[in-house]
Amino acid sequence: MKNLGFLRAVAAAPAVHIADCEANAAEITAMLEDMRQAEPDLIVFPEMCLTGYTCGDLFGQPLLLQAAEEALGELVAATADCPVAVVVGMPVASGPALYNCAVAFAEGEILAVVPKIHIPNYTE
């Protein structure tokens, strides 16, 4: 496939534990280990998978945001010896604003942080 210019992408759906970033990172790490044998080029995890999507007011708590950053650090470090690109979703604070972001990383390095730009207009 690689010789034809294609890449092997995997969409992953881990069990998500609301506001438990450590447990979510453990779920994602276990899935990464399982998927290595398939030799994908890219593994994409769901939106807000490091914190859970329904944390509501907890997204305003620095403790949750710090836990998400620490969990991301663990995941990035876990890919240090792996050429697979990984994308996870998490909240990212920048000044007073909070963004729903996709974070891409590979080989122990963050490659990109992309905020969600198409926000639904229903009361989500």
Side-chain angles (χ1 to χ4, degrees), residues 60-86:
Q61 298 298 317
L63 187 60
L64 179 62
L65 301 177
Q66 180 181 352
E69 287 181 16
E70 290 171 3
L72 175 65
E74 292 171 16
L75 291 172
V76 171
T79 66
D81 65 340
C82 183
V84 176
V86 180

Side-chain angles (χ1 to χ4, degrees), residues 34-121:
D34 290 344
M35 291 180 202
R36 278 190 185 196
Q37 295 172 3
E39 298 182 354
D41 299 300
L42 173 66
I43 303 172
V44 180
F45 288 89
E47 179 177 16
M48 302 297 265
C49 65
L50 278 182
T51 57
Y53 197 87
T54 58
C55 288
D57 291 347
L58 293 177
F59 286 125
Q61 298 298 317
L63 187 60
L64 179 62
L65 301 177
Q66 180 181 352
E69 287 181 16
E70 290 171 3
L72 175 65
E74 292 171 16
L75 291 172
V76 171
T79 66
D81 65 340
C82 183
V84 176
V86 180
V87 179
V88 298
M90 64 179 284
V92 175
S94 178
L98 185 64
Y99 298 95
N100 177 347
C101 293
V103 180
F105 54 94
E107 298 182 281
E109 194 173 317
I110 294 175
L111 305 173
V113 178
V114 181
K116 183 175 181 177
I117 58 173
H118 296 292
I119 308 298
N121 60 2

